[in-house]
Amino acid sequence: MPTLSVFMDVPLAQKLEGSLLKTYKQDNCPQKMFLAYRACMTSEGQLWISSIVHKIRLQIAQDPSLNHEYMPAMGMKSFIQASLELLFGKHSRVILENRVGGVHTVGDSGAFQLGAQFLKTWRGASQIVYIISSQNELHGLVFQDMGFTVCEYSFWDSRQLCMSPNMLLDVVEQAPHGCIFVIGNTGNFKMTQHQWAKLMAAMKSKQIFPFFDIPYQGLSTGDLEEDTKFLQYFVSGGFEFFCSQSLSKNFGIYDEGVGILAVVAFNNRLLLCALSQLMNFALALWLNPPTMGARIITTILCNPALQEAWKQNLKEVVENIMLIKEKVKEKLRLLGTPGSWNHITDQNGPHGYLGLNTQQVDYLVKKKHIYIPKNGRINFTCINGCNIDYVTESINEAVLFTKDSEK
């Protein structure tokens, strides 16, 4: 008698991402291009990696003193400390008061996996999570799998072609008491200090727990402190919070998937209790975090000369992103493309919205073989001197085509 497979009733899962890239790879058109890579690209179309990383990787590989012993569940202490100082500032109030700590996490979603597990266990009454970002975030799935009810909102206002601070304030107003707010990718969220104060007052009155996401500190404005300045508002405002800090993109070590979950508590006693529970969850999730990426980052951050060279690398990347956006906007202006394109240069960071509708995006993909997501959010570092003319002429053509079809 044949044995029935345990997997017989298991269907193929719906693809969450990758179908656009798969279609692009199967396209035989010589002019095809993909503008949605997660990683930063160079002007030659290669993955960007900080020049300092190459040097340090070789140095570590040749270090005879490394014994490659397992890390403790909390991870590499020197890496955690260096990451916290990068995030909050070496002499920040929260570090001096010894009420911030962290856990070395795995992958871009590891901090969310760990944080969600903690909140599910120790904040059981909070079953609703609001995820507010400039794009759809995959870590919403982490919270869904944990049994949370997830509500997702985007900062991007497709009608006004801008990031809307009022949207976040409106969501807080309608959010229930005691929920969790995951606020991600705030680089384009240009709120005044008064608006932040209003937001924090509303969150505090409803006892909303903040969970921040810092995916690429330094690549938004080129200023490491500016990119995380809003965290100081919450520290000064007397909040406890979690913060996911990913350090893969801003060092160019994408395959290492390294970061921390930072925890800010009211005092050191509360912090140590929270960290002890997080360590137990980390033991169950991954036991020991990998160390190569953490060693590279720690070596750079703990050496003033290397850190300065790395900061200069970040500034060069950001300057190149700004230049690309200016060129795209100017070329569209010279082509006489209908509409205003100021929103391109108003956005910070490598990724941004083109401000195209679904019909225009569909035209670019099917007629011009330019692969971008349906929401029109692209990686501007994928545009370079070799393809900028084709990209801008195609955008112009797509806009004019849809204008004609509306008549």
Side-chain angles (χ1 to χ4, degrees):
M1 181 178 176
T3 304
L4 292 177
S5 171
V6 174
F7 312 113
M8 185 172 66
D9 297 325
V10 180
L12 277 172
Q14 182 180 354
K15 276 191 173 290
L16 299 173
E17 63 171 349
S19 56
L20 187 70
L21 182 59
K22 182 179 179 181
T23 307
Y24 161 76
K25 288 180 176 179
Q26 293 172 342
D27 190 340
N28 294 320
C29 177
Q31 286 183 300
K32 69 176 182 178
M33 58 187 68
F34 190 78
L35 303 185
Y37 288 113
R38 292 169 61 197
C40 286
M41 310 297 285
T42 66
S43 56
E44 292 79 32
Q46 303 297 315
L47 279 180
W48 173 82
I49 302 171
S50 172
S51 59
I52 311 302
V53 167
H54 287 297
K55 176 183 174 182
I56 301 306
R57 193 186 289 273
L58 287 172
Q59 183 179 308
I60 291 171
Q62 296 168 1
D63 185 351
S65 68
L66 292 180
N67 59 15
H68 301 283
E69 179 58 275
Y70 284 117
M71 282 286 110
M74 292 293 284
M76 188 184 296
K77 286 185 178 180
S78 56
F79 166 66
I80 295 169
Q81 187 61 32
S83 300
L84 290 172
E85 290 177 2
L86 181 68
L87 194 59
F88 293 97
K90 189 173 184 178
H91 304 292
S92 68
R93 172 181 165 186
V94 74
I95 287 179
L96 295 176
E97 292 174 355
N98 201 21
R99 57 186 185 90
V100 63
V103 181
H104 180 169
T105 56
V106 179
D108 285 343
S109 65
F112 290 102
Q113 188 78 36
L114 194 59
Q117 185 71 63
F118 180 96
L119 293 169
K120 185 70 177 176
T121 305
W122 296 106
R123 197 179 164 95
S126 303
Q127 294 298 304
I128 300 176
V129 175
Y130 284 78
I131 297 180
I132 305 123
S133 185
S134 58
Q135 61 175 346
N136 290 330
E137 300 287 3
L138 289 175
H139 45 252
L141 298 172
V142 173
F143 288 94
Q144 285 179 2
D145 286 345
M146 292 282 181
F148 289 95
T149 299
V150 176
C151 307
E152 298 191 56
Y153 295 85
S154 173
F155 292 148
W156 178 250
D157 185 331
S158 58
R159 290 185 178 181
Q160 299 297 322
L161 298 179
C162 67
M163 299 293 174
S164 173
N166 292 326
M167 184 280 302
L168 182 52
L169 295 168
D170 292 342
V171 173
V172 172
E173 290 297 326
Q174 69 184 47
H177 186 275
C179 66
I180 298 159
F181 258 50
V182 179
I183 303 175
N185 206 4
T186 57
N188 288 307
F189 209 55
K190 298 170 183 176
M191 287 172 63
T192 64
Q193 195 165 348
H194 173 72
Q195 287 173 316
W196 281 114
K198 185 179 177 182
L199 173 70
M200 290 189 294
M203 291 178 71
K204 186 167 281 190
S205 69
K206 291 192 172 186
Q207 296 186 344
I208 292 172
F209 183 79
F211 196 146
F212 299 108
D213 181 24
I214 309 293
Y216 43 71
Q217 185 180 354
L219 283 176
S220 186
T221 64
D223 185 328
L224 290 160
E225 292 182 8
E226 182 65 27
D227 284 0
T228 57
K229 186 171 68 175
F230 71 95
L231 291 178
Q232 303 301 334
Y233 299 154
F234 282 83
V235 168
S236 301
F239 278 82
E240 293 183 304
F241 59 83
F242 282 167
C243 181
S244 166
Q245 181 192 30
S246 175
L247 293 162
S248 299
K249 292 184 180 71
N250 50 2
F251 283 86
I253 47 175
Y254 314 100
D255 57 339
E256 299 293 344
V258 64
I260 67 166
L261 173 64
V263 184
V264 172
F266 289 143
N267 57 52
N268 181 254
R269 182 185 65 80
L270 294 170
L271 173 66
L272 293 177
C273 290
L275 290 176
S276 70
Q277 295 294 337
L278 287 166
M279 183 177 69
N280 286 343
F281 292 131
L283 280 168
L285 286 169
W286 51 70
L287 189 61
N288 308 102
T291 61
M292 176 54 88
R295 289 187 196 280
I296 292 170
I297 292 166
T298 306
T299 302
I300 293 171
L301 293 181
C302 293
N303 182 306
L306 293 176
Q307 184 178 145
E308 197 55 42
W310 169 67
K311 287 180 181 178
Q312 187 58 40
N313 282 174
L314 291 181
K315 287 179 181 177
E316 289 168 2
V317 173
V318 172
E319 286 170 2
N320 184 53
I321 292 167
M322 292 167 65
L323 184 61
I324 291 167
K325 290 178 178 178
E326 287 287 353
K327 286 182 176 180
V328 169
K329 184 175 80 170
E330 180 61 12
K331 283 183 178 291
L332 290 172
R333 187 188 70 79
L334 291 173
L335 287 167
T337 310
S340 170
W341 298 93
N342 291 331
H343 59 275
I344 290 177
T345 50
D346 287 342
Q347 300 172 75
N348 292 330
H351 296 84
Y353 288 91
L354 283 173
L356 302 178
N357 61 37
T358 52
Q359 190 180 1
Q360 291 161 349
V361 169
D362 198 49
Y363 184 91
L364 288 178
V365 174
K366 293 181 178 178
K367 300 292 186 182
K368 308 305 293 184
H369 304 272
I370 297 176
Y371 290 84
I372 65 176
K374 290 180 181 178
N375 62 8
R377 190 171 186 265
I378 70 164
N379 181 346
F380 278 93
T381 65
C382 295
I383 300 175
N384 54 49
C386 296
N387 63 24
I388 190 170
D389 287 337
Y390 182 72
V391 170
T392 50
E393 287 166 8
S394 297
I395 292 171
N396 179 60
E397 192 176 311
V399 172
L400 292 175
F401 174 80
T402 54
K403 287 284 184 186
D404 290 339
S405 64
E406 289 171 1
K407 293 177 182 179

